[in-house]
Amino acid sequence: MRTSECGYAASKRPPSRSPLDAQAPSSPLDAQAPSSPLEGLGTDAPWVDAVEAFRARCPRRRERLDAYDRLLVSGTHLRIGADVLAGRHQPAPPVEGWLNKLDGRKKRVFQYPPADELLFRTVNRLVQPAAAEAASPWCRSFLPGGGARATFRGLLADDGLAAKAALRFDVRDYFNSIDVVDLLARLPGPFAGGPLRALLDAALLDGRVQSGGEVVAGGRKGVMAGTPLAPLLATLYLRELDTEVAGTGATYARYSDDIVVLAPPDDLPGLARLVRARLAERGLEVNEAKSAMAPAGGPWDFLGFRYRAGVIGLAPVTDRKLRARATRLARSLLRWQERSGAGADRALAAFVRRTNRRLYGVPTERSDFSWATWFLPILDGADGLDALDGHVQREARYAATGRRTARARGTVPYDALVHAGYVPLVHAFWAMQQGPATYEALVARRAGLV
């Protein structure tokens, strides 16, 4: 699911109430929402809205959009909707795929065929209000108003933050590791019965996947990373953990699989044991490489950011990942240029185009969510962005010339980068401080969209 998760630059003043002050339901399973969240599934409107939302975010996904449009024209969507409301729809097995990660490992992802993917996109839109009402006040990721900025503001509302030590946990392969039987038993209110529960049972308890063109047993696949409902279900899971940890008085937040606990140093070992024990009870594994403790007053990382002495900047791992992606892209394009005989201008244009897609969501799939709209609104300054810009420029020249020297700068001057559509992060940051219209105008102008 790709949605606007962060908004744009605005005041980072803390909200009048910390999430720690929010009143959780007397029982985390008691939250109530409208009794029939799928009520509109038998009409055209929610299906059309889901297609149009996808079209706005991903206008160049022509094949998938054409498939969605054919489903609407044929009326297949209404037949599926009727079957879901009658409790008899069985989704097709999702297609299993693998994504390469920076550390050389592969991430398992899933995609439903177009009809069921559109069904779950539509269901996701319909159940958002119920999910927002039922979600823990300490974890509202992938829900309206629950982005990274809101999560950080809740943490920074604690006036005693400077005296607290930090504990951060990352859950390994969280989406795919969730015990779906346990999840289904813990779902709140409208998710626990009726057509929605029947659909979730049919999808999550079906162990089959499509792999290599065949339907096979898929093993443990959890809520299936890459499918439309996975983020929402991952947010609702572990609500009891959220309530228990926050109930200790610690300053706490969870963003799906990313957990941070801030408390007096003497309290941290006990809190670490508590979190580890509860995760283990659910069959979830802590990713030790991404988990850490920080002393009181020391820097701590969360959601790709580093908090240090009242200032939010990029976490070192975020910096490294962006640099590594630029370097890999430059090497790949240089090899392509050598194999194909393409000119330096084409390699440079390809590097800038693909970098802009990663950083700004342009020009292929314009979206409110991108690297820039996640990170830039939360940063307290542009420190470090100039160095990242310098690295991206160097790798762009390497893609074109095969050199990272002063001679490469002479061969590919800055004006050539601008002509190719290069958008510096520093410029984007300062434009974002002035508001969304200024930011959008800068990106559109520099990337050649207008």
Side-chain angles (χ1 to χ4, degrees), residues 250-288:
T251 300
Y252 171 84
R254 177 171 66 89
Y255 199 94
S256 191
D257 60 347
D258 208 350
I259 296 170
V260 66
V261 185
L262 299 128
D266 290 345
D267 294 347
L268 225 56
L271 288 165
R273 289 192 295 271
L274 170 63
V275 174
R276 287 180 179 277
R278 296 297 178 263
L279 293 176
E281 289 169 4
R282 303 287 184 89
L284 298 172
E285 180 184 354
V286 172
N287 185 344
E288 302 294 351

Side-chain angles (χ1 to χ4, degrees), residues 94-101 105-111 173 175-177 207-211 216-227:
V95 177
E96 177 187 57
W98 298 88
L99 297 179
N100 294 324
K101 302 186 71 173
R105 294 184 298 113
K106 293 182 179 292
K107 178 180 180 179
R108 192 184 189 200
V109 295
F110 302 87
Q111 184 176 43
D173 196 22
F175 285 19
N176 297 335
S177 297
R208 300 171 302 158
V209 300
Q210 297 183 52
S211 180
V216 299
R220 185 169 184 173
K221 52 194 177 72
V223 296
M224 295 173 286
T227 57

Side-chain angles (χ1 to χ4, degrees), residues 33-82:
S35 58
S36 301
L38 300 188
E39 185 176 352
L41 200 61
T43 65
D44 285 320
W47 297 85
V48 173
D49 289 346
V51 173
E52 293 310 311
F54 184 78
R55 194 188 313 276
R57 291 195 303 271
C58 308
R60 294 178 68 95
R61 295 282 300 278
R62 303 292 188 191
E63 183 177 349
R64 185 64 41 154
L65 284 166
D66 287 346
Y68 289 168
D69 287 338
R70 287 193 297 271
L71 289 166
L72 296 183
V73 170
S74 67
T76 301
H77 64 300
L78 295 180
R79 292 192 291 274
I80 293 174

Side-chain angles (χ1 to χ4, degrees), residues 2 60 100 322 324-337 339 345-365 370-372 392 395-396 399 417 420-423 425 447 449:
R2 298 180 67 194
R60 294 178 68 95
N100 294 324
L322 183 54
R325 287 191 182 105
T327 297
R328 287 200 310 274
L329 176 59
R331 289 172 178 166
S332 174
L333 288 173
L334 181 63
R335 291 193 297 268
W336 166 76
Q337 184 186 173
R339 289 194 309 269
D345 288 349
R346 287 183 63 191
L348 178 63
F351 180 93
V352 171
R353 182 174 62 252
R354 291 173 63 175
T355 299
N356 283 347
R357 181 172 60 193
R358 164 68 64 177
L359 295 179
Y360 307 108
V362 296
T364 54
E365 292 187 5
S370 64
W371 192 98
V392 170
E395 296 307 307
L417 296 174
Y422 170 65
V423 185
L425 285 168
L449 303 183

Side-chain angles (χ1 to χ4, degrees), residues 179-215:
D179 182 335
V180 294
V181 174
D182 185 48
L183 166 72
L184 291 167
R186 296 173 184 272
L187 285 175
F191 296 85
L196 178 54
R197 175 54 184 268
L199 178 63
L200 292 175
D201 283 352
L204 298 179
L205 297 177
D206 184 352
R208 300 171 302 158
V209 300
Q210 297 183 52
S211 180
E214 297 182 357
V215 176

